[in-house]
Amino acid sequence: MDKEISQAVVSRLPRYFRYLGELKASGVERISSQELSDIMKVTASQIRQDFNNFGGFGQQGYGYNVEYLYEEISKILGIDKKHQLIIIGTGNLGTALAGYTNFSTRGFVFKGAFDCDPSLQGKKIGDVEIRPIDEIEEFIKKNNIDIAVLTIPKDQAVPMAERLIKAGIKAIWNFAHVDLDVPENVQVENVHLSDSLMKLSYNINRYERFHGKKG
């Protein structure tokens, strides 16, 4: 697929995948764009436009085959194959992410954990032993690691990203409070948890302005 897909469309794909997975688990075999629209609160025309970027998937008068569409979106997202990942920084957030079982059901295999704190090294998160930072490069190459998850202070994130890229990491899921600038061949997702809270705050204020503050 050579066509450039907008990030707005890409950002909706995991949501389609999630809802289709729930429909599939419920035994639903087919669904129309309007029915999917009612569930997801996205317009039917938007759904059709999004899917048309990848060939359409639907049939006139039939709608979408749920299992087929689920599998096709899985391929588009690249989660029809396994991705090996490591976590760097095993504080509260890193430990919580490592214990999130839905990652493995989506094909993301937690292979290793690393921390610079000697008191944590040798302890386990699930079945994975926390290793010293110095072992990262060798571990990445030996275990064909695709993705590194960063849950470390922002002053450590940039030099760590440089090390990871040199070691062959393909993607970084970055929870440090700094946006990483990486080469074109490396994918990065900068996650700022406080941004979501600020969006909530904005929407609370917006609702209260238009509807009047309760209490």
Side-chain angles (χ1 to χ4, degrees):
M1 179 171 40
D2 298 325
K3 182 180 178 181
E4 185 69 25
I5 307 299
S6 77
Q7 286 303 304
V9 175
V10 173
S11 69
R12 285 191 288 271
L13 288 176
R15 193 160 173 252
Y16 289 131
F17 182 78
R18 177 162 48 86
Y19 275 91
L20 288 164
E22 292 171 1
L23 290 167
K24 181 170 170 280
S26 299
V28 177
E29 294 183 1
R30 69 175 182 174
I31 192 166
S32 70
S33 57
Q34 186 56 58
E35 289 169 330
L36 195 54
S37 168
D38 293 341
I39 295 169
M40 295 185 59
K41 310 305 178 190
V42 177
T43 66
S45 62
Q46 181 68 75
I47 290 170
R48 290 193 293 271
Q49 287 174 34
D50 286 350
F51 291 165
N52 282 338
N53 283 291
F54 306 98
F57 307 125
Q59 296 177 21
Q60 188 71 30
Y62 177 86
Y64 301 103
N65 180 296
V66 169
E67 184 169 3
Y68 173 74
L69 184 54
Y70 178 82
E71 290 174 356
E72 288 301 304
I73 292 179
S74 171
K75 292 174 186 175
I76 293 166
L77 288 169
I79 54 177
D80 57 323
K81 53 196 172 194
K82 299 288 186 185
H83 291 288
Q84 319 283 354
L85 64 85
I86 57 173
I87 290 179
I88 301 157
T90 56
N92 292 335
L93 178 56
T95 300
L97 290 171
Y100 187 57
T101 56
N102 270 4
F103 290 149
S104 59
T105 63
R106 295 289 186 262
F108 297 96
V109 183
F110 174 42
K111 298 288 287 187
F114 297 84
D115 204 287
C116 61
D117 185 347
S119 68
L120 296 175
Q121 294 161 13
K123 293 183 178 180
K124 286 192 171 185
I125 301 176
D127 296 328
V128 174
E129 183 178 307
I130 300 173
R131 299 169 179 267
I133 294 289
D134 290 345
E135 296 180 9
I136 281 181
E137 285 87 353
E138 182 183 355
F139 190 90
I140 288 171
K141 290 169 184 173
K142 186 176 179 180
N143 293 277
N144 297 313
I145 302 299
D146 300 302
I147 302 170
V149 183
L150 292 186
T151 60
I152 55 180
K154 67 178 184 179
D155 60 329
Q156 299 174 20
V158 172
M160 177 54 67
E162 292 172 354
R163 284 181 66 175
L164 294 168
I165 292 165
K166 286 179 183 176
I169 279 289
K170 297 175 184 175
I172 299 173
W173 197 21
N174 174 39
F175 287 84
H177 295 292
V178 60
D179 288 341
L180 296 177
D181 186 17
V182 300
E184 191 177 63
N185 65 318
V186 178
Q187 308 305 313
V188 65
E189 183 74 17
N190 294 303
V191 181
H192 299 288
L193 297 177
S194 59
D195 287 7
S196 292
L197 281 174
M198 285 187 278
K199 287 178 185 176
L200 280 177
S201 174
Y202 167 81
N203 286 321
I204 290 170
N205 286 339
R206 181 176 180 274
Y207 183 87
E208 289 179 346
R209 282 200 310 271
F210 285 98
H211 299 276
K213 188 170 183 179
K214 292 183 180 180

